[in-house]
Amino acid sequence: MGKNFALGLTGAVAIAAMMAAVGPAWAQQQSPVLDAAVASGELPPVAERLPANPLVITPVESVGTYGGTWHSALRGGLDNAWIGRTVAYDGLVRYDREWKEIIPNLAESWEVSEDARTYTFKLREGLKWNNGKPFTSADIAFAAELFSEPTYGAGTFMKNPNNPVKVEVVDETTFSLVFEKPNGVIMDDLASINGLTLVSLNKEYCSQFYPKYNPNAAAEAKAAGFETWELWMTDRCSWATETIRWANPELPMMNAWMIEEPLKGDSTRTTFVRNPYYWKVDTEGNQLPYIDRLEMRVSDSLEEITLMALNGEIDYQDRHIATVANQPIFFDGQEAGDYRLGENIPSNMNTLMLQFNMNHVDEKRRELFQSKDFRVGISHLIDRQEIIDVIFTGQGEPYQAAPRPESPFYDEEMAKQYTEFDPDAAAAAFEAAGLIKSGEFYTFADGTPLKITIDMISSFRSEWVDMMELLQLQLEAGGVDIELNNIDRTLYYEKRPTGDYDAQIWQGDGGLDVIQEPRYYLPANDESVWAYRWAQWFQGSRPEIAEEPADWAKEQMDLLNKLRSEGNPEVRNDLMKQILAISKENFPVIGVSLPGNGYYIAKNNMRNIAEPMLHAYLFPTPAPYDPFQWYFAQE
């Protein structure tokens, strides 16, 4: 082994020694709701439930008090992201609260080989699932084994055909991830919300649904009403943050709270209760979490959830309701609702990304949308300041697809290019792209009418309807005939492999998580809608529709492959800068504006909530700010 990351093994020994010295002096405490179970013998004492070296968490403000129920809401029964952001962020490692370092979590230390192929982790000794059974290297190996099945599991790093991984178990608390090729970015994967996959399956429980361990699994699956063992396994042992995972209270977990009232198709609420075997403590040795229960109202109505917050019936939430449109009413309602507004700094770099389909099945549209001149023309027709003033009450600034100003990759020229509202420059660019102004609207060079359909999902971002209607007026005033197509999210995704769409919109991911989320900078993944078939060529996942990319995109892909195999973070950053420079030159997608800071709603008596918070999906806010150390102040 070469590199010693984070605490490393030496640091782990030091921490273990410190814990051994300090531990006996701690007056370890537990929530009073567990006292009766301990007194009756149903649960062992708290000291026996904790690992030998529990993870010590420093509270944001102060050591808290036990008790209370955290009320929030889900938008419908498929809102797994909110559960992931509140309950499920407990992987091998994690990000610190500043999103600058990867720090220990379930793993107390790790080492990386010089060639960045082998990552060896040391788990905390004495970790237990919420049912009291040991959490060991065998559970990690089981997850990897199950995900090696071609018919099971999602497309995480564990199923990457370009760089397969295997797990080598050393002992109960030590194991290695061994990659076929160097993997320089795996620690970010493990520290993000995606890291939950590897630690989400308990071997003792889940192996009963797996034919390798239960020869009768297929027959038992049919008897239980499932066509295959894979469907049965998914129902009982779904991985990471998948919605169905929260429908099975029997499934062992390692999180601060465990399922009480499951989330099912007809649920109007789901609830979670404290995990008596949770393995984190505060600086005084008190077992976390402080809050006893979580209750989430399940409602398809944004109006209902918004009204709950205004009435003080939500203790903390930002998802779905913390919109620009709602901000004035939430600001005015703070005193009546006994809540406060805190600040979120979004990781997104844009309020809306307009992506023209460079892989269109129609040859003329493909040629047009691949023309940089065409995209420059469209960009110059967008009056971004009008959109900012009308839709966002002046918050934000004109911005392209570029890292945020807070990012070390920030490039002002990249962020601001072609953002001027300039109809004359647009007309010149359209002429260079081969379009002809014939009457009110532009046509193709052969006189064929050009009407561009832009797909959108109004239910995902309420402001998108207003933005797109205004953008439609602006583009049509400049001679580009636009049709807006508001469709269901399922159909939105189903259109991508067909190649039969003109353009789609989405939010501007990749503002702070630039390396982890490069979808707008190069055709990196399925979310690179502007060049979906180029992305398939790169990924190798759908060879039947893959198309060879333009030379500049292939150069980016080569650089990204080098980046992903590079163990030195400084070299990785340099490679990303080269990718961004190519993106800047070729201008593949069009942005509208840099988002203004967001906000969250928190009851006044809920404490230890950080402000401001960085807000992202891969950095699944508020989870990295440790909701298990939030508490309700005594009245």
Side-chain angles (χ1 to χ4, degrees):
M1 292 294 167
K3 303 167 190 173
N4 201 341
F5 274 57
L7 290 178
L9 297 181
T10 303
V13 172
I15 288 290
M18 181 184 72
M19 296 292 288
V22 177
W26 284 353
Q28 290 180 328
Q29 302 292 328
Q30 66 183 12
S31 171
V33 302
L34 300 177
D35 289 347
V38 172
S40 69
E42 181 183 348
L43 280 177
V46 62
E48 297 178 21
R49 301 197 306 270
L50 290 169
N53 58 332
L55 180 57
V56 180
I57 300 297
T58 302
V60 168
E61 299 169 358
S62 62
V63 170
T65 54
Y66 287 119
T69 298
W70 168 8
H71 298 89
S72 65
L74 304 178
R75 188 179 181 188
L78 297 177
D79 194 6
N80 58 45
W82 182 242
I83 299 177
R85 290 175 182 268
T86 52
V87 175
Y89 183 59
D90 266 319
L92 290 173
V93 294
R94 51 167 291 166
Y95 289 118
D96 68 3
R97 292 171 186 163
E98 295 182 329
W99 202 358
K100 291 181 178 178
E101 291 186 50
I102 294 172
I103 58 177
N105 205 47
L106 285 165
E108 65 182 15
S109 62
W110 61 93
E111 284 191 341
V112 185
S113 63
E114 291 290 348
D115 62 1
R117 288 184 56 244
T118 302
Y119 291 73
T120 300
F121 294 87
K122 178 71 174 177
L123 297 173
R124 298 175 189 280
E125 183 181 347
L127 288 167
K128 297 178 179 66
W129 296 90
N130 67 284
N131 60 8
K133 301 296 180 67
F135 174 89
T136 70
S137 300
D139 295 302
I140 305 295
F142 175 79
E145 180 181 28
L146 182 59
F147 279 94
S148 70
E149 295 284 348
T151 54
Y152 186 79
T156 69
F157 72 91
M158 298 172 70
K159 292 184 79 73
N160 181 359
N162 297 319
N163 195 3
V165 61
K166 62 180 180 179
V167 173
E168 294 181 354
V169 173
V170 179
D171 56 40
E172 284 195 349
T173 58
T174 312
F175 67 92
S176 296
L177 297 179
V178 182
F179 292 89
E180 187 176 288
K181 304 173 186 176
N183 189 332
V185 296
I186 184 58
M187 293 307 298
D188 276 298
D189 254 336
L190 293 175
S192 77
I193 197 168
N194 297 330
L196 274 296
T197 303
L198 191 61
V199 300
S200 60
L201 301 176
N202 171 265
K203 179 179 181 179
E204 182 181 42
Y205 176 79
C206 296
S207 60
Q208 65 182 302
F209 311 109
Y210 192 13
K212 284 190 177 181
Y213 294 89
N214 175 11
N216 299 318
E220 291 174 6
K222 288 188 179 294
F226 299 94
E227 284 298 313
T228 65
W229 72 264
E230 292 95 337
L231 291 172
W232 194 29
M233 176 72 80
T234 299
D235 182 78
R236 297 286 82 194
C237 290
S238 191
W239 61 93
T241 61
E242 297 300 305
T243 303
I244 198 170
R245 179 175 177 82
W246 313 109
N248 181 13
E250 298 176 359
L251 180 61
M253 297 182 179
M254 295 297 293
N255 310 118
W257 296 279
M258 57 190 186
I259 302 167
E260 178 189 46
E261 190 172 335
L263 178 62
K264 297 185 176 180
D266 58 351
S267 295
T268 58
R269 74 170 187 172
T270 183
T271 60
F272 299 82
V273 294
R274 69 168 49 254
N275 172 5
Y277 290 91
Y278 197 53
W279 37 278
K280 298 181 184 178
V281 298
D282 67 18
T283 47
E284 294 184 0
N286 302 307
Q287 186 187 31
L288 298 168
Y290 293 133
I291 295 175
D292 286 327
R293 296 179 72 254
L294 275 58
E295 181 174 317
M296 300 177 183
R297 166 74 171 132
V298 181
S299 174
D300 288 312
S301 170
L302 282 179
E303 291 77 10
E304 179 186 1
I305 300 173
T306 300
L307 188 60
M308 288 175 62
L310 284 168
N311 289 339
E313 298 169 14
I314 283 179
D315 296 301
Y316 172 92
Q317 184 141 344
D318 58 15
R319 185 165 169 80
H320 299 307
I321 58 174
T323 64
V324 173
N326 282 347
Q327 191 165 6
I329 61 172
F330 280 135
F331 182 84
D332 292 342
Q334 290 178 86
E335 183 175 355
D338 192 26
Y339 61 79
R340 65 189 185 276
L341 303 185
E343 187 176 31
N344 277 334
I345 300 174
S347 66
N348 287 348
M349 47 76 176
N350 221 287
T351 55
L352 184 147
M353 298 306 307
L354 178 56
Q355 305 176 75
F356 289 97
N357 178 15
M358 296 188 191
N359 302 153
H360 205 294
V361 291
D362 180 87
E363 290 294 335
K364 284 195 299 186
R365 290 176 183 268
R366 175 190 304 222
E367 182 181 356
L368 178 65
F369 298 154
Q370 285 191 18
S371 167
K372 176 183 175 181
D373 288 316
F374 169 75
R375 299 190 297 275
V376 168
I378 292 291
S379 187
H380 278 309
L381 281 184
I382 300 174
D383 187 342
R384 291 169 172 80
Q385 195 59 53
E386 181 182 27
I387 294 174
I388 291 167
D389 291 341
V390 172
I391 309 299
F392 298 106
T393 61
Q395 298 181 59
E397 60 184 83
Y399 217 78
Q400 295 289 8
R404 288 183 61 93
E406 300 91 344
S407 169
F409 297 105
Y410 175 63
D411 178 341
E412 183 176 7
E413 188 176 292
M414 182 181 186
K416 295 298 185 178
Q417 64 180 349
Y418 316 123
T419 56
E420 304 88 352
F421 174 56
D422 190 341
D424 291 336
F430 290 145
E431 181 179 356
L435 295 180
I436 297 174
K437 187 72 176 291
S438 178
E440 184 180 1
F441 296 119
Y442 283 96
T443 69
F444 288 101
D446 62 4
T448 305
L450 172 63
K451 173 175 279 192
I452 297 173
T453 301
I454 303 176
D455 297 333
M456 56 185 286
I457 310 173
S458 62
S459 61
F460 187 75
R461 286 281 186 271
S462 58
E463 65 269 21
W464 279 354
V465 174
D466 295 333
M467 289 183 73
M468 288 307 299
E469 288 178 350
L470 192 51
L471 190 144
Q472 179 185 32
L473 291 174
Q474 293 174 353
L475 295 184
E476 290 187 339
V480 182
D481 194 5
I482 297 294
E483 179 180 29
L484 301 181
N485 184 30
N486 188 14
I487 56 177
D488 175 76
R489 187 167 183 172
T490 301
L491 179 58
Y492 201 73
Y493 283 94
E494 287 176 349
K495 293 179 74 171
R496 295 176 179 180
T498 71
D500 191 13
Y501 58 95
D502 291 343
Q504 291 190 344
I505 64 169
W506 202 251
Q507 63 188 11
D509 301 78
L512 294 177
D513 43 349
V514 179
I515 291 178
Q516 299 97 321
E517 186 51 271
R519 64 174 74 173
Y520 299 120
Y521 306 128
L522 79 159
N525 53 47
D526 283 2
E527 297 304 322
S528 300
V529 180
W530 53 277
Y532 187 90
R533 297 190 174 194
W534 290 355
Q536 306 314 308
W537 186 89
F538 175 56
Q539 296 180 127
S541 52
R542 294 194 179 193
E544 71 279 6
I545 62 170
E547 294 182 4
E548 186 173 357
D551 288 343
W552 60 268
K554 284 197 286 186
E555 183 181 355
Q556 288 183 310
M557 293 169 180
D558 289 342
L559 290 166
L560 186 60
N561 282 332
K562 290 179 183 177
L563 183 156
R564 288 174 171 172
S565 65
E566 175 56 55
N568 186 323
E570 292 183 3
V571 176
R572 288 201 301 269
N573 288 348
D574 181 67
L575 290 166
M576 191 67 220
K577 289 176 182 178
Q578 293 179 53
I579 291 170
L580 291 169
I582 296 171
S583 179
K584 174 181 174 179
E585 172 61 29
N586 289 276
F587 189 57
V589 294
I590 301 168
V592 174
S593 65
L594 182 72
N597 286 350
Y599 62 98
Y600 61 77
I601 297 157
K603 290 298 292 292
N604 286 326
N605 66 335
M606 195 176 228
R607 302 292 171 80
N608 278 350
I609 302 178
E611 185 184 1
M613 295 186 194
L614 299 173
H615 193 274
Y617 175 71
L618 294 176
F619 180 78
T621 317
Y625 296 95
D626 305 327
F628 46 77
Q629 55 89 49
W630 295 357
Y631 72 98
F632 292 103
Q634 302 287 332
E635 296 278 337

